[in-house]
Amino acid sequence: MANLLLIESPGKLKKLGQILGPGWIVKASMGHIRELANDGEDALGFDLEGTQIHCRYEPRDARAKKVLAELRQAVKQANTVYIATDPDREGETIGWHLQQELRLKNPRRVVYSEITPAAVQQAIAHPRTLDQALIAAGRARDCLDKLVGYKGSRHVVWQLNNGAKSMGRVQSATLHLLCLREREIQTFKPEDYWSVWVSYREGFKAFYRSKLPIRRGTGQASNQSSGESSDDASTSEDSKPKQESERVTTQAEADRLVAIARSTPHQVVKVEGKVVYQSPPAPFITSTLQQAAGTKLRFSPEKTMKVAQSLYEAGYITYMRTDSVVLAAPFCQAVRQYLEQHDPTNVPQRTAKHRAVKGAQEAHEAIRPTDVNRVPPLAASADEAKLYELIWNRAIASQCCPARLQKTRVITQSGTAFWEARGQVLEFAGYTRYWNNLSADAQLPPLQIGQSLQLQKAQADQKQTQPPPRYTEPKLVQLMERQGIGRPSTYAPTIKTLRERDYVQLLQGKLQPTPLGLDLDAALEKLLPDLIQPAFTAQMETALDAIASGQQEWQTYLTSWHRDYFAPAIVKARQAIGSSDFKATHLQKTHLSETQLTASPKKFASHTKKVSAETPHAKTTQQSKVACPTCGELMHKIPSRSKKLKANHFLKCAKPGCATVMFWNSNAKKYELPYSQRTPDPEAFTDYPCPVCGALLERYAYTKEGQEKVMLRCSLIENRKGKCKEVAFFQGRDGFWSPKFGVLNT
């Protein structure tokens, strides 16, 4: 019998099959295989009882059922089963789900961060057991996210009747960051100022300073240490600040300074020069890869991760979901040998040390090429080649010598006014041969103290203060990382969800909250203020990390968090929604947000109006003629773009505290409650027991190819989604029959 290796992605099958050779069966789970069921209270799929959590899992969909059936057959053919899901918390949890579903007694867990013969064989030779602490953290995250998402959406968001679909633990905190920035922009009041400068015939330009600038700590040499990502805040030349004078706040003062510059002689009063060593940046982690790919390649975070996944599966790079800046010693040695052969002047005596961001799990390596001698571009597509080159260059740069720069500063004086010019010349390129994050050279002419200068031009440029910029997707990823919101695997999906929910739109490369997003955030800021704060979300991430390291019991944490904070917060929020004070305040805030949005700069205003007109969520809900089956109030039509619905809307009760919703059934030509909320029709019951659970079968009418038909199914709704899912008897010539249970005995 063969050995069986269970992996996640089918993209790795061919590569791993080649590495392992005969005697091995490699099968993919196609990602997540199970999920929490949509049953029980608020369809959570788990029950909170005291300090215990009872979870109910089910296959994700029909494809997952089919995959599981295939995997069960493969297990029967195997002597030993190895689980090689991805090397992170999520992968460990998927491995546990596979163990549970396939009833594996002693599966061997193998972990590798690159798909190369050496790494895979090494992992196979040193298996371990599944890490129960990581599994606990993964299960805790699933339950926590569903608890916040389902309860918060059902009991708070849906009660707003504004078309918002959902909230989420990471999603809502990220939206809050975008809305905070948008409100800063809305309330920003521009102010005029003047930048005063002079240019000299000697060939340089200087900017006004009110007094003789004194540089502290002027040494002959310095070493600027680069931490985890020293350059990622400004990986583009466009993002580097341009030189200006001290801000002059009145036209009269600007004119006075220009007059002084034109009427009095100029001379050099100070010349400074020093050597600065700029250390190389750290190799990529998930967030910095997304930032750099966004800036240099114009890739969205989602696209970056998709392309990186392909590179990983092909064996070109190490695992791409990581927050560690550490590189394996053999790779560092391989880079050193490469530099000794191809770039010997760039071999450092000691490589730079890099710091990981606060809260990093550092479970495995930074992102790097698996083979330093596979130089770019070598990949299957143009996008893969570009991203591979970016990763290769960054990894090599991290192991190079610092760059050496000669920085100069010249102070000139005319009358009572001082003028400053700065220059920078790259003397030794060092790591910038592979990763250039420095501004262009600006060389000043050789000057002496006391030297007279010939004025060429003196001018004051009128300018206006600008509002803080909206975030690009890469900048938002950087902010999420710094604030501790989410983890490497959640950055891209969170941004994607915000856009799909119509809470945020991408406008000229920047993320702008829509009226719906601003409205939802304003409501949550009043109703669940703690939950949307980055620091609060970061605390939850810290707790999950403590669970992953075995320092915290996951069920105790989650049940106490729900009991002490979340459940009371939901009750308080529901009470607030029904109050007249909240309604008045919320309507006023909503009106203010929409007014300020359309009052934005012209380049944004027309687009915002267009989106507001086209987005169903921005429209006012309409009252329907359908009475709520729960309380009798008339229900409202809520616009929706969900592809799962048969209509472009659903009905929702507007009465505070009533969460009843109804959906259009195109076959029955009427609105119906969700299956889980419908009262069984006694007339539909038969005398036949369900062959699985023993409950009575019920008649169910449906239409197929234009013909009215009847089938029999289990009458218990909760069982129809679980163990009785395959109970279906169809009407034939000789009575009812089932593909699985045969003819129904009458």
Side-chain angles (χ1 to χ4, degrees):
M1 297 178 77
N3 293 317
L4 174 62
L5 186 74
L6 299 177
I7 61 175
E8 286 183 47
S9 172
K12 308 172 191 174
L13 290 172
K14 182 178 179 181
K15 184 77 175 179
L16 287 168
Q18 293 172 345
I19 291 173
L20 295 173
W24 281 85
I25 301 171
V26 185
K27 292 288 184 179
S29 71
M30 314 296 283
H32 288 273
I33 204 76
R34 290 200 313 181
E35 63 184 4
L36 288 164
N38 289 319
D39 62 10
E41 182 182 352
D42 293 322
L44 291 175
F46 61 89
D47 300 319
L48 300 167
E49 297 179 1
T51 59
Q52 299 295 310
I53 300 176
H54 304 288
C55 297
R56 295 176 294 279
Y57 295 101
E58 63 182 13
R60 298 196 81 175
D61 48 31
R63 186 186 72 169
K65 283 187 174 182
K66 183 179 178 181
V67 170
L68 281 171
E70 294 175 355
L71 295 182
R72 290 188 183 101
Q73 292 301 315
V75 168
K76 293 178 181 178
Q77 303 171 30
N79 264 331
T80 308
V81 179
Y82 294 81
I83 294 178
T85 46
D86 288 343
D88 55 16
R89 190 183 299 171
E90 190 175 13
E92 202 77 13
T93 308
I94 292 174
W96 176 78
H97 282 298
L98 287 170
Q99 180 194 29
Q100 296 294 306
E101 277 292 324
L102 302 177
R103 299 179 181 178
L104 304 175
K105 291 185 178 180
N106 296 300
R108 300 185 181 185
R109 175 68 165 127
V110 295
V111 177
Y112 45 80
S113 60
E114 59 183 84
I115 304 177
T116 58
V120 173
Q121 297 292 358
Q122 175 75 3
I124 294 292
H126 299 88
R128 60 171 173 81
T129 58
L130 285 165
D131 190 320
Q132 296 302 316
L134 288 179
I135 293 166
R139 296 181 67 191
R141 177 184 291 276
D142 289 343
C143 291
L144 185 60
D145 286 346
K146 197 166 186 182
L147 186 64
V148 174
Y150 276 47
K151 273 189 173 291
S153 299
R154 177 183 293 268
H155 298 291
V156 179
V157 175
W158 292 3
Q159 309 304 319
L160 300 175
N161 291 317
N162 63 354
K165 297 176 182 177
S166 68
M167 64 171 290
R169 184 178 62 87
V170 176
Q171 173 196 136
S172 297
T174 305
L175 176 63
H176 188 57
L177 292 176
L178 292 168
C179 291
L180 284 176
R181 175 54 60 90
E182 192 65 27
R183 292 185 187 108
E184 287 181 53
I185 295 170
Q186 292 171 0
T187 57
F188 180 81
K189 295 180 179 179
E191 296 177 354
D192 291 334
Y193 73 94
W194 285 259
S195 177
V196 188
W197 54 272
V198 295
S199 62
Y200 298 110
R201 296 188 185 279
E202 285 75 11
F204 67 101
K205 189 176 183 178
F207 294 88
Y208 166 69
R209 298 288 181 261
S210 60
K211 57 186 178 181
L212 182 65
I214 299 175
R215 174 176 285 168
R216 295 180 180 178
T218 56
Q220 292 301 308
S222 68
N223 183 67
Q224 182 174 333
S225 173
S226 84
E228 179 274 324
S229 56
S230 63
D231 67 312
D232 291 299
S234 57
T235 48
S236 166
E237 290 299 323
D238 296 336
S239 63
K240 296 183 184 295
K242 295 180 180 179
Q243 282 189 316
E244 286 188 348
S245 77
E246 284 184 17
R247 289 185 177 179
V248 178
T249 56
T250 66
Q251 177 77 66
E253 177 64 9
D255 291 342
R256 186 184 74 84
L257 292 171
V258 171
I260 290 175
R262 290 173 178 172
S263 62
T264 57
H266 293 249
Q267 68 173 0
V268 177
V269 296
K270 195 167 188 178
V271 177
E272 292 179 349
K274 70 173 185 176
V275 174
V276 173
Y277 290 91
Q278 174 71 47
S279 296
F284 282 135
I285 60 177
T286 302
S287 60
T288 53
L289 175 64
Q290 292 176 4
Q291 293 160 40
T295 302
K296 294 179 179 294
L297 305 179
R298 299 292 185 260
F299 285 4
S300 68
E302 182 185 4
K303 180 176 180 178
T304 299
M305 297 311 291
K306 184 177 180 180
V307 175
Q309 178 81 31
S310 298
L311 289 171
Y312 169 64
E313 291 175 355
Y316 291 137
I317 65 171
T318 53
Y319 191 56
M320 63 286 161
R321 293 188 181 92
T322 177
D323 53 17
S324 171
V325 294
V326 175
L327 292 174
F331 178 77
C332 294
Q333 184 59 36
V335 173
R336 193 172 189 87
Q337 293 173 356
Y338 176 88
L339 292 173
E340 287 172 348
Q341 183 177 354
H342 297 92
D343 191 3
T345 62
N346 222 338
V347 180
Q349 290 184 351
R350 186 177 63 179
T351 55
K353 299 295 182 183
H354 305 288
R355 298 187 305 273
V357 295
K358 184 180 179 181
Q361 298 171 44
E362 298 191 89
H364 35 269
E365 278 190 87
I367 305 169
R368 61 164 176 83
T370 55
D371 183 357
V372 68
N373 293 303
R374 186 185 286 128
V375 294
L378 178 62
S381 70
D383 285 344
E384 289 173 357
K386 291 175 184 176
L387 192 64
Y388 179 80
E389 183 173 6
L390 212 63
I391 294 168
W392 189 92
N393 283 329
R394 181 70 170 241
I396 302 303
S398 72
Q399 302 301 299
C400 289
C401 290
R404 186 174 71 246
L405 301 99
Q406 177 68 43
K407 292 197 172 187
T408 55
R409 187 175 71 142
V410 173
I411 308 298
T412 68
Q413 184 176 6
S414 59
T416 57
F418 295 95
W419 311 88
E420 181 185 60
R422 297 191 179 208
Q424 172 180 295
V425 176
L426 183 64
E427 292 186 334
F428 175 69
Y431 75 86
T432 64
R433 292 174 185 167
Y434 306 93
W435 189 266
N436 187 13
N437 60 342
L438 303 177
S439 55
D441 284 358
Q443 189 164 2
L444 297 178
L447 299 167
Q448 301 293 326
I449 295 177
Q451 179 179 341
S452 296
L453 300 171
Q454 291 185 326
L455 181 70
Q456 185 177 46
K457 190 175 184 179
Q459 184 172 314
D461 296 332
Q462 185 175 359
K463 299 187 176 184
Q464 215 176 44
T465 55
Q466 298 297 311
R470 292 182 176 92
Y471 298 111
T472 61
E473 289 183 301
K475 284 292 183 183
L476 180 59
V477 168
Q478 184 183 60
L479 183 63
M480 291 171 69
E481 179 190 47
R482 289 178 175 175
Q483 297 277 7
I485 299 175
R487 283 296 181 259
S489 61
T490 62
Y491 299 143
T494 299
I495 296 173
K496 181 183 178 183
T497 298
L498 289 175
R499 293 179 63 181
E500 288 179 343
R501 294 285 188 268
D502 294 321
Y503 298 160
V504 172
Q505 61 191 359
L506 193 63
L507 183 60
Q508 297 185 350
K510 303 289 182 67
L511 292 166
Q512 181 186 28
T514 62
L516 176 65
L518 287 165
D519 182 39
L520 175 60
D521 181 69
L524 292 178
E525 193 171 21
K526 188 171 182 63
L527 298 169
L528 294 169
D530 293 333
L531 198 61
I532 64 173
Q533 296 302 321
F536 191 82
T537 304
Q539 287 176 357
M540 286 188 271
E541 293 291 353
T542 301
L544 291 172
D545 291 343
I547 294 169
S549 62
Q551 300 173 7
Q552 171 78 55
E553 204 284 318
W554 78 278
Q555 297 185 63
T556 302
Y557 165 73
L558 193 55
T559 52
S560 62
W561 183 85
H562 178 257
R563 180 186 63 250
D564 299 338
Y565 165 72
F566 193 56
I570 290 292
V571 172
K572 187 177 179 181
R574 291 191 64 171
Q575 293 172 346
I577 290 173
S579 69
S580 56
D581 288 344
F582 171 78
K583 291 179 180 178
T585 305
H586 185 58
L587 285 173
Q588 184 180 6
K589 280 190 176 182
T590 303
H591 174 72
L592 179 64
S593 297
E594 292 181 349
T595 301
Q596 290 173 327
L597 267 178
T598 52
S600 298
K602 291 181 180 179
K603 62 181 180 180
F604 299 110
S606 60
H607 183 86
T608 303
K609 291 176 182 177
K610 180 180 178 183
V611 170
S612 298
E614 292 177 352
T615 305
H617 301 306
K619 297 178 181 178
T620 305
T621 58
Q622 298 178 352
Q623 192 178 65
S624 73
K625 297 180 181 179
V626 180
C628 174
T630 303
C631 67
E633 293 283 335
L634 289 180
M635 305 188 77
H636 282 65
K637 288 185 177 181
I638 308 298
S640 174
R641 289 181 177 177
S642 174
K643 296 179 180 179
K644 296 181 179 180
L645 300 185
K646 301 297 183 182
N648 61 357
H649 67 278
F650 62 93
L651 299 186
K652 186 174 186 303
C653 184
K655 183 178 179 179
C658 183
T660 303
V661 294
M662 298 182 75
F663 302 95
W664 178 252
N665 185 331
S666 56
N667 293 326
K669 306 297 182 185
K670 63 179 182 179
Y671 290 100
E672 295 180 339
L673 291 167
Y675 281 118
S676 60
Q677 298 177 20
R678 295 180 193 174
T679 303
D681 179 8
E683 298 297 324
F685 288 129
T686 70
D687 295 328
Y688 309 122
C690 171
V692 175
C693 70
L696 293 179
L697 295 176
E698 69 171 12
R699 292 183 178 85
Y700 174 70
Y702 64 99
T703 303
K704 183 176 181 181
E705 298 177 353
Q707 295 184 359
E708 299 294 331
K709 295 181 178 291
V710 176
M711 64 176 285
L712 303 184
R713 64 184 184 181
C714 181
S715 58
L716 296 181
I717 295 174
E718 60 272 21
N719 287 359
R720 284 207 298 268
K721 292 184 177 182
K723 59 184 179 181
C724 301
K725 202 167 185 177
E726 296 183 357
V727 176
F729 289 88
F730 302 96
Q731 195 168 26
R733 294 180 180 178
D734 301 322
F736 289 94
W737 66 278
S738 167
K740 182 171 183 178
F741 300 102
V743 177
L744 185 64
N745 295 321
T746 59

